[in-house]
Amino acid sequence: MSGTSTAAGPRRLRTQVAVVGAGPAGLVLANVLLRAGVGVAVVERRSRAEVERRARAGLVEHRVVEYLRAHGLADRLLAEGTRHGWCDFLCAGRLLRFDYGAQSGGIRHWVYPQQLLVRDLIADLGTAGHTPEFGLPATRVHVDGAGPARVECPGLDIECDYVVGCDGPHGITPQALPPDTAPRAELDERYPYDWLTLLAEVDRGVPGVVYAVHEDGFAGVMPRTSRIARLYLEIPAGDATARWTAARVHERLRTRLVGAGAAVPRLGRIMETGVLRMRSSVRQRFQHGRLFLAGDAAHVLTPSGAKGMNLAVADAADLADALIRRYRDGDETHLAGYTARRLPEVLRTRDLAAGFLDLLHPQGEHPADRRGELARRLERLRELAEPGAAGAAFAHWYVGAGPGLPVPRRAPHGTPHTMQSREPRESTP
Ligand code: APR
């Protein structure tokens, strides 16, 4: 997008699909649409530098990688990411190796930091001819009434056929949905604990994820790069990061990770501290008229199982397919079925992530209760780690071995179908 505002009013832009938010959902959607010839405009309230260094998730499902690969969006991930097929559970002093790569029949997922994927997807968008408008928040969307949909930003008005809200749970697009789409009480859950999230220097790379289930609370260690690890520490719900000094964090980690041995490298400087408020919340519908929500804007899950980013890409893949059909065949039925297709998977994922979270968090007011819970957790973890039906089912879900994401049909000679599309047009009033 380019153009300048004039004294007469904001800059105007006409496109087919306006995407609000340049996280994984918005960027995957925009890339796939553009490559299929659908006109797209992306607005992102943060600067490019901010989104490219915002460290968050890091486990990318097998099916997501295959999808990105099919669209030519996975080159750096495949070159620089690492495949993972096992994790360790540390419970009641026992270290159990869960070889989920073997239990899933050889399918593994990838470790690749989300901000690097975001960086790559922005570069890929540039190659396809579009640069998102960074540092530009959408302030309002209009999807009701006749005429085109509209996204208002300071100094820019986008007119479009459809708006896709990829702006997370606190963005403006979820607020534009009617109240009957809000999460029902049973799908809006707040847990009695949070996770302190830390990025820490390490003396060597973390070889695999470690989930430590301890009566003092949960701790998790995740690989990121050869010098950096992501760590999680259970803390009471609502606790402020300021209460968690580096000394206290190190002390808690030492307590909870005792017995991990070589599974955890020596931890150095803590580079970043934040809190993940543990809640999950799923909207009843992800669509209202010409507004569609994808990723965290539609559903927030707890980080257990690392499914947030993967579901965001799966939403984007589904929506891209539906929009491409709409422009290729003029058929809107697939678009209308978006919620009906996505909601069951989101709910299933939410349930499995909640079950996994429960496994990692023995609760109980008294230490004796917690020790009893810990013994039960150890049994369940053993059952997972040993070859068998429970381990295999979990392994398939964890690596994302399920059905592939919809890849748009290709023309016989291998190029995508040409859309009967209007190119994005720009005009100033
Ligand atoms: N206008 C424009 N952009 C906005 C606005 C707005 N009003 N509000 C928010 N945004 C931007 C944010 O700055 C952010 O970059 O929307 C983007 C949303 O990106 P993500 O939060 O990464 O959401 P999503 O693409 O759905 O990916 C979600 O990634 O880290 C995982 O587990 C995490 O589940 C999460 C997943």
Side-chain angles (χ1 to χ4, degrees), residues 20-21 23-25 43-46 56 114 137-138 166-167 295-296 308-309:
V20 182
V43 291
E44 164 57 54
R45 76 179 161 90
R46 293 174 202 263
R56 301 175 78 197
Q114 179 171 329
C166 302
D167 48 348
D296 275 16
M309 175 169 70

Side-chain angles (χ1 to χ4, degrees), residues 215 364-374:
E215 59 182 278
E365 257 184 52
H366 304 293
D369 300 340
R370 254 175 283 150
R371 275 195 292 277
E373 285 295 314
L374 206 59

Side-chain angles (χ1 to χ4, degrees), residues 105-142:
I107 299 172
R108 290 177 282 168
H109 52 195
W110 291 74
V111 173
Y112 193 62
Q114 179 171 329
Q115 71 275 21
L116 301 187
L117 183 62
V118 161
R119 174 203 65 190
D120 300 350
L121 291 168
I122 293 170
D124 291 330
L125 258 189
T127 309
H130 179 75
T131 304
E133 286 276 353
F134 289 104
L136 191 68
T139 47
R140 241 179 121 178
V141 293
H142 303 265

